Amino acid sequence: MRSMVGIDHINLAGLDLNLLIALDALLEAGSVTKAGKLMGIGQSAMSHNLGRLRTLFGDELLTRHAGGMRRTPRAEALRLPVREALGSLQALLGRETPFDPATAERLFRIAVPDSIEMLLMPRFLAYLQEKAPGIRLRLHNVDPESVLNTLDENKIDLAIGIGPFNGAQTHHKSRLLMRDEYLVLFNSHITKLKTPLSLDDFLKFPHLLTSLRPGEHGVVDKALALLGLSRSIALTTPRFMSVAPLLVQAPVIATMHSRPAQMLAKIFDLTTSSPPVALTDVRIDMIWHGSYGDDQAHCWIRDTLWKMAQIR
């Protein structure tokens, strides 16, 4: 069993917790003036807080340079622990007032691929307007290389991604949102291909590769390599929504997860087929920072998104 860290009540009793709030604001804003605005206090009062914090931590925390103020290495090391501590405190205090989606007002910042945005957000937005009109969304692109850091820096509240989030640590919490199969998508009027596609037909035309990660190698290429085969990649794009307009005009083939593929096929008069190679199911997860684990509003939006994802 993991032992509990002892609490030094005597020393903590002498600590003004408002200083931690001031520290978080200073580290977030990187400016005394901007931090004061975040806390609703004047520049003089915030400068006084910075002086007390410098004494408390024995470090300058913010130093002047040509472009303004820069965080010291010690300050950078403090950013995440301070944010986690305040997040836990906020969640603790938040339990005293039950979350009511009908009256709550809150902004959620969600990083999501455009294919999942197209699939989930229309019905999710409609649900919010009816059941939780005070909940607002700000959607961001997903960068697999930086999404975990973006969560750690509290720049987003939640991320949704295809496949596992590589490099996730213990403070990153995740939940399976949905699974999906792959479908092949093409313009049968241009390609003259029939369904179901044979392997020869599948390799007859160049392919579009949709990928958020660098490189020109995806799950299809891995499956073909096992057969000693390869395909020609005509275009690689991180934007799933651009696939259908490209297929409308060009004799090319795309492979993507089935639910958005079916939507695009219906809208753009495209044809779908099961892939002629064995592909593992698509796994779509959502991930968040553990400091929001018990936040009632955060729990609600995660559960609601999960329920939306189960509707076919």
Side-chain angles (χ1 to χ4, degrees):
M1 181 181 294
R2 185 178 178 180
S3 60
M4 296 291 290
V5 176
I7 302 298
D8 189 342
H9 295 89
I10 294 177
N11 283 332
L12 281 180
L15 174 65
D16 181 358
L17 289 179
N18 284 324
L19 278 180
L20 286 184
I21 301 172
L23 177 58
D24 182 73
L26 285 162
L27 298 182
E28 178 70 19
S31 160
V32 172
T33 302
K34 292 179 181 178
K37 290 180 179 179
L38 286 175
M39 291 189 65
I41 62 177
Q43 183 176 354
S44 177
M46 184 54 78
S47 293
H48 178 67
N49 284 335
L50 178 56
R52 294 176 62 193
L53 286 164
R54 283 170 168 167
T55 300
L56 178 65
F57 287 98
D59 188 86
E60 285 295 296
L61 299 177
L62 294 174
T63 58
R64 295 191 180 278
H65 72 111
M69 301 195 80
R70 176 180 295 160
R71 288 181 288 268
T72 66
R74 171 72 165 145
E76 289 288 357
L78 286 169
R79 289 183 73 185
L80 182 57
V82 170
R83 178 54 60 95
E84 287 181 334
L86 291 178
S88 297
L89 180 60
Q90 182 172 277
L92 178 65
L93 296 175
R95 293 194 189 100
E96 298 177 0
T97 305
F99 172 74
D100 181 4
T103 58
E105 293 189 3
R106 183 156 169 177
L107 171 68
F108 281 95
R109 303 153 301 168
I110 303 175
V112 57
D114 61 345
S115 60
I116 308 302
E117 179 180 343
M118 174 184 69
L119 186 65
L120 285 185
M121 291 304 157
R123 71 169 70 113
F124 187 46
L125 181 60
Y127 180 85
L128 292 179
Q129 292 304 299
E130 179 183 356
K131 303 293 186 181
I135 300 296
R136 296 173 292 119
L137 303 177
R138 181 175 298 158
L139 303 184
H140 298 255
N141 293 325
V142 174
D143 182 353
E145 303 299 320
S146 63
V147 65
L148 298 178
N149 287 335
T150 308
L151 285 169
D152 291 345
E153 294 169 2
N154 199 41
K155 293 180 179 177
I156 57 173
D157 299 290
L158 186 69
I160 297 173
I162 299 171
F165 288 90
N166 295 325
Q169 301 179 46
T170 54
H171 62 269
H172 297 124
K173 308 303 178 184
S174 64
R175 181 181 185 183
L176 175 65
L177 193 62
M178 69 177 95
R179 289 188 183 274
D180 203 0
E181 300 172 343
Y182 281 101
L183 274 181
V184 182
L185 195 62
F186 58 93
N187 186 338
S188 59
H189 304 294
I190 295 178
T191 62
K192 307 302 182 184
L193 293 174
K194 305 295 183 181
T195 60
L197 282 182
S198 67
L199 185 56
D200 287 341
D201 284 342
F202 186 64
L203 299 176
K204 187 176 181 180
F205 292 94
H207 285 237
L208 304 180
L209 171 62
T210 50
S211 177
L212 297 174
R213 294 176 170 84
E216 293 186 347
H217 196 81
V219 293
V220 173
D221 301 285
K222 293 178 182 178
L224 288 172
L226 294 176
L227 301 174
L229 301 171
S230 64
R231 60 177 177 168
S232 171
I233 304 293
L235 182 147
T236 302
T237 176
R239 290 172 289 275
F240 292 84
M241 282 298 292
S242 69
V243 168
L246 292 168
L247 293 175
V248 166
Q249 298 192 45
V252 291
I253 290 174
T255 304
M256 60 189 299
H257 46 301
S258 68
R259 290 165 70 174
Q262 289 168 344
M263 291 180 65
L264 294 174
K266 185 179 297 185
I267 296 170
F268 289 90
D269 189 27
L270 298 169
T271 301
T272 63
S273 172
S274 56
V277 289
L279 301 175
T280 56
D281 287 351
V282 186
R283 178 187 176 98
I284 300 168
D285 293 309
M286 56 181 170
I287 190 167
W288 61 95
H289 195 282
S291 61
Y292 286 113
D294 295 327
D295 182 292
Q296 291 188 39
H298 211 283
C299 291
W300 177 83
I301 203 164
R302 297 196 308 262
D303 288 342
T304 305
L305 274 169
W306 183 86
K307 291 173 184 175
M308 293 291 112
Q310 309 317 302
I311 301 173
R312 302 227 22 139

